[in-house]
Amino acid sequence: MAKDVNQALAREFGLSADEYARVLDIMGRTPSLTELGIFSVMWSEHCSYKSSRVWLKTLPTTAPWVIHGPGENAGVVDIGEGLAAIFKMESHNHPSFIEPYQGAATGVGGILRDVFTMGARPIANLNALRFGDPKLPRTKRIVDGVVRGIGGYGNCVGVPTVGGEINFHPAYNGNPLVNAMTVGIAARDKIFLSAAAGIGNPVVYVGSKTGRDGIHGATMASAEFGKDSEEKRPTVQVGDPFTEKLLIEACLELMATDAIVAIQDMGAAGLTSSSVEMAGKGGVGIELDLDAVPQRETHMTAYEMMLSESQERMLIVVKPERREMAQAIFEKWDLDFAVIGHLTDTGRIVVKHNGTVEADIPLDPLAEQAPLYHRPIAETPKRPSLGPVVDTAGLGAALETLIACPDLASRSWVWDQYDSTVGGQTVKRPGASDAAIVKLEGRARALALTTDCTPRYVLADPEAGGAQAVAEAWRNITATGARPLAITDNMNFANPEKPEIMGQFAAAIRGMAAACVALDFPVVSGNVSLYNETEGRPILPTPAIGGLGVLEDAAQAVGVALTPGLDLVLVGSTAGWLGQSLWLREIAGREDGPPPPVDLAAERFNGDFVRGQILQGHVRACHDCSDGGLLVAIAEMTMAGTAGARLLPGPAGVAPHAFWFGEDQGRYILAVPDAAAVLQAAAFAGVPAIRLGESNAGDLTLPDGTTMSVAALRSANERFFRAWMDEPGQA
């Protein structure tokens, strides 16, 4: 590590010439190697949000039920009965390309720590995954590793993985997206924050020992991939879920006392970010003695210890008189506990190692003078109208093709590797409903949880696509009967230095903000992942949304499974919008046209009506209409249940393939005992609704008279993943 600190090294560390000049101005001298490392990670895109902060500030983040919005480790919302839900989504995209298993596993571990560091017991994990072309061997390897990593970590730590989504597109060939979400529950009056306080209070390191894994991980996540990207394995952390489980229990036990002043997990940038953020938020200084840091490797330098991203570690400021009690708790759980520093009144971070001061940096300038860029933007041109598209396949053949394609195929191969019921509170497992339902232990109350985004819509029209992502999350929660409360987001985009990419980001934020306001669905936490680009090839813009809602009684939740003897009612208007639809891509072989428009007033109106019908007990099953349109949604309801269906012809004036496969927004399919009563209520409320047919004990009979075996549809739907992953007996 004996390197000369200069502009060339700063550039290697990810700092521009202007940024390095700013460092020199702040320091008044050439920084040490450790100081340069601290600046480089704290000013990285991953940690400082220097390209995105200006836009993120325009998102709505408040509501009467929001307790803590963006700025803490995770968002906090009031869910009633003296309880709070704490949740967040984060990315581990670059590490998961380089080392899929550990990249995904440590992504799960990191988001778990963000939640339990605030005093919450984690009760659910979700994910949002995007992969490249399934025809590529690399894609298969990455999918296999990521799924095993998510399952391996979540299952071992004892938190159920209850939901998520997976898409495939060649744009993700060199840059998969792995977004992990965790939800936890805490007492509303027992939330722990990260702002340090109390001059002289000890700073305590707990958890695993520090190694050399993950050094400069934050910097690596703030740059494009090149030809050498797969050689960056040293920047990927290695996780240990069993230690994480011990850390959860030890932290929650300590949190039941009055010992903690502040607590922060060591995530991106490790000891650097945790110490800088705690002291900076508290307006104090911090002094660290790295000789006391538990280490699993010999001869580690100050630079390595400050930048290591070894997993399962936390930093805690404790009350001096509670230090021995705190130590006893962590030693009982067989975890390291070491006092590595104390708070000061200097407003500086001072790092010592082997009796030498390795870093001495003023904290205010480190944060307040961090770069903030107003990047140039270029708006995405509007796509021309699609025009008439002739149906050459027919309804039956198109349906079978669509439900078998990678984007709509059954995810049971994935779900089966996740323990979705550990803890015994999962009411609706993956695939059973539009949002997962997790009951709160000892109570009737439950949470509805989902992740959503349609990247092809965002590419075609970023503003409409951003609004649609929020609206679909709201719709999925509503379709269970739950009341949507708030979202977390994960903004996955390519190189922000390109105006067209920054234009996508800004427009998506505009659309999201409009939807959040219209739907009373604020943003309370999130993450930005930029530079998702390999050798100049960008990903699809992907603003993934994680949504949370509440049900006062879990018994009121409905799923998608269809049973015989029910009427099928469509709520919402259908114009037959085929632009950017899966039918257009999979059947017509085209990816063009504008995406479906999002009428936010209609979304709110239709959804509120549907939720009311569910809570009044009038609905036996409900499914929102999204990818693939009405016919795919009905087929999914039959495959999830024990019924077939007979469908009526669509209305005159809309071509059958457009009516049944168009992806118009704001729509729900309800399975109800009495269509007439629901239609009457809809007419009274001014909500568009029509009867589509009825369920039966037989097959699926399409409007054109084609009869399709539900068992055959289910077989086609389940074929892709199991055949792709070479499971025995799969063609």
Side-chain angles (χ1 to χ4, degrees), residues 40-42 44-47 214-223 235 237 268-269 307 309:
S40 71
V41 293
M42 292 308 300
S44 69
E45 195 74 62
H46 192 74
C47 292
I215 293 174
H216 263 300
T219 305
M220 181 267 289
S222 304
T235 61
Q237 312 92 321
L307 271 64
E309 294 185 7

Side-chain angles (χ1 to χ4, degrees), residues 677-698:
V678 173
L679 292 173
Q680 184 178 16
F684 183 77
V687 170
I690 61 172
R691 184 171 177 268
L692 289 176
E694 68 273 339
S695 64
N696 55 44

Side-chain angles (χ1 to χ4, degrees), residues 6 13 18 104 118 157 160 197 226 236 290 310 366 393 446 471 512 528 543 582 604 612 615 651 670 686-687:
N6 51 36
F13 282 10
D18 287 344
M118 295 190 72
V157 85
V236 178
L290 300 186
S310 294
L366 185 60
M512 290 167 57
V528 176
L582 282 185
R604 182 65 183 264
L615 296 180
L670 312 184
V687 170

Side-chain angles (χ1 to χ4, degrees), residues 34 195 206 211 228 233 313 324 339 351 385 417 446 490 502 520 532 677 700:
T34 302
V206 298
D228 64 343
R233 284 185 171 81
R313 302 179 301 159
E324 290 185 4
V339 177
V351 179
S385 297
Q417 297 185 58
N490 207 139
M502 209 61 228
D520 282 336
N532 289 288
L700 176 60

Side-chain angles (χ1 to χ4, degrees), residues 653-667:
V654 182
H657 65 289
F659 178 79
W660 292 104
F661 296 115
E663 295 182 5
D664 302 80
Q665 298 295 294
R667 299 181 300 163

Side-chain angles (χ1 to χ4, degrees), residues 344-677:
T344 69
D345 61 0
T346 64
R348 305 178 73 86
I349 178 171
V350 177
V351 179
K352 297 180 178 179
H353 183 43
N354 293 332
T356 301
V357 174
E358 296 283 354
D360 186 348
I361 304 173
L363 286 166
D364 272 353
L366 185 60
E368 298 303 319
Q369 295 184 37
L372 176 62
Y373 293 125
H374 294 73
R375 304 272 192 200
I377 65 172
E379 296 290 347
T380 301
K382 296 294 184 182
R383 301 287 181 100
S385 297
L386 195 61
V389 182
V390 177
D391 179 18
T392 59
L395 298 183
L399 175 61
E400 188 166 0
T401 297
L402 282 168
I403 64 167
C405 78
D407 273 358
L408 291 177
S410 167
R411 271 65 176 132
S412 60
W413 176 86
V414 177
W415 299 331
D416 288 349
Q417 297 185 58
Y418 303 155
D419 190 336
S420 60
T421 60
V422 62
Q425 303 305 306
T426 305
V427 176
K428 298 290 185 185
R429 298 181 61 190
S433 56
D434 283 344
I437 304 294
V438 181
K439 189 171 173 287
L440 306 186
E441 190 170 4
R443 302 172 189 254
R445 192 168 295 261
L447 298 181
L449 310 168
T450 187
T451 59
D452 289 288
C453 184
T454 311
R456 65 182 186 277
Y457 291 176
V458 189
L459 179 67
D461 185 333
E463 186 166 352
Q468 190 275 339
V470 173
E472 187 172 351
W474 189 88
R475 198 184 316 137
N476 281 345
I477 292 169
T478 293
T480 69
R483 178 169 62 93
L485 291 180
I487 67 170
T488 181
D489 60 50
N490 207 139
M491 306 295 291
N492 306 273
F493 287 76
N495 187 341
E497 297 167 42
K498 297 179 178 179
E500 65 272 20
I501 302 300
M502 209 61 228
Q504 292 174 346
F505 187 94
I509 290 283
R510 290 198 304 269
M512 290 167 57
C516 289
V517 169
L519 302 173
D520 282 336
F521 206 29
V523 182
V524 296
S525 60
N527 174 250
V528 176
S529 175
L530 301 177
Y531 294 97
N532 289 288
E533 194 163 315
T534 299
E535 297 182 46
R537 292 189 294 274
I539 63 162
L540 300 184
T542 310
I545 304 297
L548 179 144
V550 66
L551 269 164
E552 293 190 7
D553 187 348
Q556 294 178 302
V558 299
V560 301
L562 195 60
T563 54
L566 299 171
D567 290 328
L568 298 178
V569 173
L570 170 64
V571 173
S573 298
T574 301
W577 195 278
L578 290 173
Q580 296 301 322
S581 67
L582 282 185
W583 183 92
L584 188 69
R585 189 182 79 189
E586 298 294 326
I587 307 303
R590 298 166 55 182
E591 291 186 68
D592 54 357
V598 180
D599 183 334
L600 293 171
E603 283 280 1
R604 182 65 183 264
F605 211 46
N606 296 351
D608 287 348
F609 172 78
V610 167
R611 189 184 314 105
Q613 291 295 304
I614 292 172
L615 296 180
Q616 291 170 45
H618 299 160
V619 180
R620 299 293 178 268
C622 180
H623 196 6
D624 88 306
C625 300
S626 54
D627 284 349
L630 290 176
L631 198 50
V632 165
I634 292 169
E636 288 173 342
M637 294 175 80
T638 66
M639 292 186 292
T642 58
R646 184 180 66 83
L647 303 179
L648 301 172
V654 182
H657 65 289
F659 178 79
W660 292 104
F661 296 115
E663 295 182 5
D664 302 80
Q665 298 295 294
R667 299 181 300 163
Y668 303 79
I669 297 171
L670 312 184
V672 300
D674 183 3

Side-chain angles (χ1 to χ4, degrees), residues 257-268:
T257 73
D258 64 346
I260 296 176
V261 176
I263 183 168
Q264 173 78 40
D265 85 292
M266 294 192 215

